[in-house]
Amino acid sequence: MWKPRAVPRALSPLLLLLLQSVLALVSAGGSNGTTWNTLSGSPPLVIAHGGFSGIFPDSSELAFSLAVVTGSKNLIVWCDVQLTKDRVGICFPNIKLENATNIADVFPNKEKTYSINGVQTSAYFAMDYKFEELHNNVYCKYIYIYKLLTVFGCWTVVQGDFTRSDKFNNNAFRIFTVDALVKIEAPPGLWLNIQHDAFYAQHNLSMQNFVLSVSRMVNVNYISSPEAGFLRSIRAHINPRITKLVFRFLEKDEVDPSTNQTYGSLLKNLTSIKTFASGILVPKGYIWPVDPTSLYLLPHTSLVSDAHKVGLEVFASDFMNDISISYNYSYDPVAEYLNFIDNGNFSVDGVLSDFPLSAFEAIDCFAHIGLDAAKKVNTLVISKYGASGDYPPCTDLAYEKAISDGADVLDCPVQMSKDGIPFCLSSVDLIESTNVAQSRFSKLGKIIPEIKSGNGIFTFDLAWDDIKSLIPSMLNPYSRKYSLYRNPKYNKKVQFLTLSDFLKLTKGQTSLLGVVIIIEPPMATPMPPFLWPNQRLEPPPSGNHRATFLVTNHHVPPFFDA
């Protein structure tokens, strides 16, 4: 599946380490022989946006290298084309060089102002510099919040996304010309995106001439542009058996400068688009819109089906592993891909991703296997408070979801109520997973250093009926540091379970191997007698240790049958 090749010597060990962890995924080949709901019936394409730009800086040598060596035959490498003053085409993600280079340090106060699609824009532009001028004059300066700088006469890149690591910035990554990308990396497929043809044409630089020149030397599989006029201008000069033209949609209220129509209006006439393009590239929200308030998915649109009916392929963009996505996916990027390629109704023909390996994982490993697929690896899966990423922890729906998801063992951390009722809850402090701090019991807060350093409202201070009256809430372990919040939809639709109810729920589940009962001292109430040694379970040791008991479905102690 992957192709060994030479990589830059300084980073070869790093790439090898990354490859060891991912090659098993891309070698699965699960999509072979499967019929897909794409226009052609073939597996969806994976388009590596600027290479593997989710790990290495966009359009850098290592980003392209990692994408190629971990990709499969369905990989297409994406290059955003910009033109220099001497008509050299480079793969570069932004028309504003200062957004991605240290050029402002090398040529201070040399910004120029031009009209881009009717908007006056002050910036540094590639078309104002010859390639050699930049090559010879820009010196080494590491910029941690931008994407491109020049090191010792070679253009190199650093990570530009604020949310991503800057660990790879100081490695003299070269940015590629289109020619170098093809000759050095030899990707399985090549996609050229022409974002600003009208702007370059105003300054006597022809994207049409550049694209046609490249197409005569190498196979360009796809050419996209958000300007319909550009695609129409090259259509007659492109061999459709080799190169497909794709119209790129931007946000619906933006305007195509070549037609003066909004992309929302252009979307209403797919038949017209078919006259100059064989496919469309759309933001993923065109297909699966997300409610901006609740962050839950809305019903899918008919765009993919409508486009396929008129013979247009559909490619979806904006796939990234490190941004917040709809709560429906529970922060699982593979689940998001599957919703676009294996939902039972339609499949997009390709996905544009900063993390192409995740797309391959969805296509080659998880698509079309169904929820009842047999295990391929004999690994024991133990829940953590049930499916606590989807539902409030230790609640009925959390446990039911864990069972339906295929967990082998369910866990129950046992807490005690004031009236001696054992029940399942993730923490003895009710503040962590209920609304107790906003309830009539808020005055029961206290500090018990042996349990936790801060203030808490503890289970042993409330009777079971009082605890049942509280509203369970989601655990959000990454909310403070990363502002990541879990599914809030079911906070008011779940209930806690006593230990007896928990065991009744699990006892009849033939798919479960057993349950784990967890006692985490110190406990402010005595250990219930049914957990004493004469009942075949050992009491927890003294000190700050956790005692875990495994009870199989076939050996449930009789005291649990109450």
Side-chain angles (χ1 to χ4, degrees):
M1 183 68 74
W2 74 286
K3 302 164 284 300
R5 55 180 298 280
V7 297
R9 185 175 302 174
L11 288 184
S12 294
L14 173 59
L15 271 185
L16 292 175
L17 179 62
L18 288 169
L19 291 176
Q20 287 176 353
S21 65
V22 300
L23 286 178
L25 294 176
V26 297
S27 62
S31 62
N32 293 335
T34 302
T35 300
W36 293 79
N37 288 326
T38 56
L39 184 63
S40 66
S42 300
L45 299 175
V46 176
I47 307 146
H49 183 228
F52 211 132
S53 56
I55 292 182
F56 293 110
D58 192 317
S59 302
S60 66
E61 179 179 6
L62 261 295
F64 287 130
S65 294
L66 187 59
V68 170
V69 298
T70 59
S72 76
K73 61 183 180 181
N74 293 327
L75 174 72
I76 305 290
V77 170
W78 168 284
C79 167
D80 279 298
V81 180
Q82 312 295 340
L83 290 178
T84 63
K85 188 175 185 178
D86 48 348
R87 296 174 172 78
V88 175
I90 61 172
C91 296
F92 188 70
N94 199 298
I95 195 170
K96 296 181 178 181
L97 291 182
E98 75 277 13
N99 283 359
T101 74
N102 65 339
I103 193 168
D105 296 325
V106 180
F107 301 109
N109 303 316
K110 296 295 184 180
E111 302 99 326
K112 291 191 176 181
T113 300
Y114 298 110
S115 175
I116 302 179
N117 297 344
V119 178
Q120 292 297 112
T121 304
S122 296
Y124 289 85
F125 298 92
M127 68 174 191
D128 290 322
Y129 301 90
K130 292 184 178 180
F131 182 81
E132 286 298 321
E133 184 179 7
L134 294 171
H135 180 89
N136 292 330
N137 290 287
V138 180
Y139 59 88
C140 175
K141 181 176 181 180
Y142 299 117
I143 303 174
Y144 296 105
I145 61 173
Y146 298 125
K147 288 187 179 177
L148 178 70
L149 65 148
T150 303
V151 178
F152 304 128
C154 298
W155 283 15
T156 68
V157 293
V158 301
Q159 186 55 266
D161 193 312
F162 286 100
T163 65
R164 293 175 178 168
S165 172
D166 60 6
K167 300 300 182 183
F168 303 114
N169 284 355
N170 301 334
N171 290 284
F173 294 149
R174 293 193 307 161
I175 194 167
F176 277 2
T177 63
V178 176
D179 183 61
L181 170 61
V182 173
K183 290 181 179 179
I184 297 176
E185 298 302 333
L190 178 63
W191 186 307
L192 300 182
N193 180 59
I194 311 302
Q195 197 75 6
H196 296 286
D197 170 66
F199 169 72
Y200 284 107
Q202 293 172 5
H203 302 279
N204 298 317
L205 291 172
S206 174
M207 276 291 186
Q208 177 180 340
N209 290 344
F210 174 78
V211 167
L212 296 179
S213 175
V214 171
S215 299
R216 285 191 289 268
M217 296 184 293
V218 300
N219 287 342
V220 179
N221 303 86
Y222 291 87
I223 299 172
S224 64
S225 177
E227 299 179 12
F230 172 73
L231 297 178
R232 287 192 176 100
S233 72
I234 66 172
R235 181 173 178 269
H237 307 287
I238 293 293
N239 185 345
R241 291 175 296 179
I242 298 175
T243 304
K244 295 182 178 181
L245 302 183
V246 177
F247 183 58
R248 185 180 190 183
F249 282 82
L250 304 182
E251 295 303 320
K252 292 182 180 180
D253 59 349
E254 293 189 52
V255 176
D256 170 10
S258 68
T259 63
N260 289 322
Q261 291 182 263
T262 65
Y263 293 100
S265 63
L266 290 168
L267 188 67
K268 298 175 183 178
N269 194 350
L270 295 176
T271 302
S272 174
I273 293 173
K274 178 60 179 173
T275 62
F276 62 85
S278 63
I280 57 175
L281 172 66
V282 298
K284 61 187 179 183
Y286 273 48
I287 300 169
W288 279 104
V290 177
D291 185 287
T293 302
S294 70
L295 299 183
Y296 284 96
L297 287 176
L298 298 172
H300 67 76
T301 67
S302 62
L303 175 58
V304 177
S305 299
D306 294 343
H308 283 177
K309 287 178 183 177
V310 300
L312 286 169
E313 291 184 303
V314 181
F315 303 93
S317 65
D318 303 333
F319 288 92
M320 307 174 200
N321 291 15
D322 51 359
I323 61 172
S324 295
I325 55 179
S326 169
Y327 287 124
N328 297 71
Y329 303 125
S330 295
Y331 294 101
D332 181 1
V334 172
E336 182 180 30
Y337 286 113
L338 291 173
N339 207 30
F340 283 80
I341 65 172
D342 185 24
N343 57 47
N345 296 307
F346 62 83
S347 172
V348 297
D349 300 278
V351 291
L352 177 63
S353 174
D354 289 14
F355 294 82
L357 196 60
S358 295
F360 281 121
E361 181 182 0
I363 295 168
D364 289 340
C365 301
F366 290 100
H368 300 145
I369 63 173
L371 296 177
D372 299 324
K375 282 187 176 182
K376 295 184 179 181
V377 179
N378 190 24
T379 301
L380 190 70
V381 178
I382 304 173
S383 72
K384 182 177 181 181
Y385 317 143
S388 57
D390 295 308
Y391 297 95
C394 300
T395 57
D396 53 347
L397 293 187
Y399 286 126
E400 290 170 8
K401 182 67 161 59
I403 294 171
S404 66
D405 282 348
D408 298 308
V409 177
L410 294 191
D411 67 312
C412 172
V414 177
Q415 313 299 338
M416 294 293 292
S417 66
K418 185 177 181 179
D419 48 349
I421 303 297
F423 66 100
C424 304
L425 192 64
S426 57
S427 170
V428 69
D429 181 8
L430 290 164
I431 293 177
E432 294 185 13
S433 57
T434 75
N435 71 329
V436 68
Q438 292 79 43
S439 74
R440 59 191 174 93
F441 306 108
S442 59
K443 295 181 180 180
L444 295 179
K446 63 178 66 172
I447 297 176
I448 303 178
E450 294 83 3
I451 295 180
K452 62 177 298 184
S453 58
N455 189 61
I457 301 176
F458 301 101
T459 62
F460 45 76
D461 285 330
L462 278 75
W464 173 239
D465 285 343
D466 294 331
I467 293 173
K468 286 194 299 181
S469 72
L470 300 175
I471 299 175
S473 58
M474 294 294 298
L475 291 180
N476 294 293
Y478 301 106
S479 59
R480 291 185 179 181
K481 188 173 183 179
Y482 300 108
S483 297
L484 296 177
Y485 294 89
R486 290 174 172 173
N487 185 351
K489 188 175 183 179
Y490 298 102
N491 282 357
K492 299 180 180 180
K493 300 181 180 181
V494 295
Q495 59 185 359
F496 294 123
L497 299 179
T498 65
L499 180 56
S500 177
D501 289 337
F502 167 78
L503 289 163
K504 287 178 181 178
L505 170 69
T506 61
K507 188 176 180 181
Q509 302 294 334
T510 57
S511 63
L512 291 176
L513 299 179
V515 299
V516 170
I517 299 171
I518 302 169
I519 308 296
E520 189 168 4
M523 296 184 67
T525 56
M527 183 67 59
F530 56 74
L531 293 181
W532 291 349
N534 63 346
Q535 299 290 352
R536 294 183 292 150
L537 294 176
E538 295 295 329
S542 60
N544 293 321
H545 298 87
R546 170 179 290 186
T548 303
F549 311 115
L550 176 63
V551 182
T552 69
N553 275 347
H554 302 290
H555 298 88
V556 177
F559 48 78
F560 289 134
D561 293 333

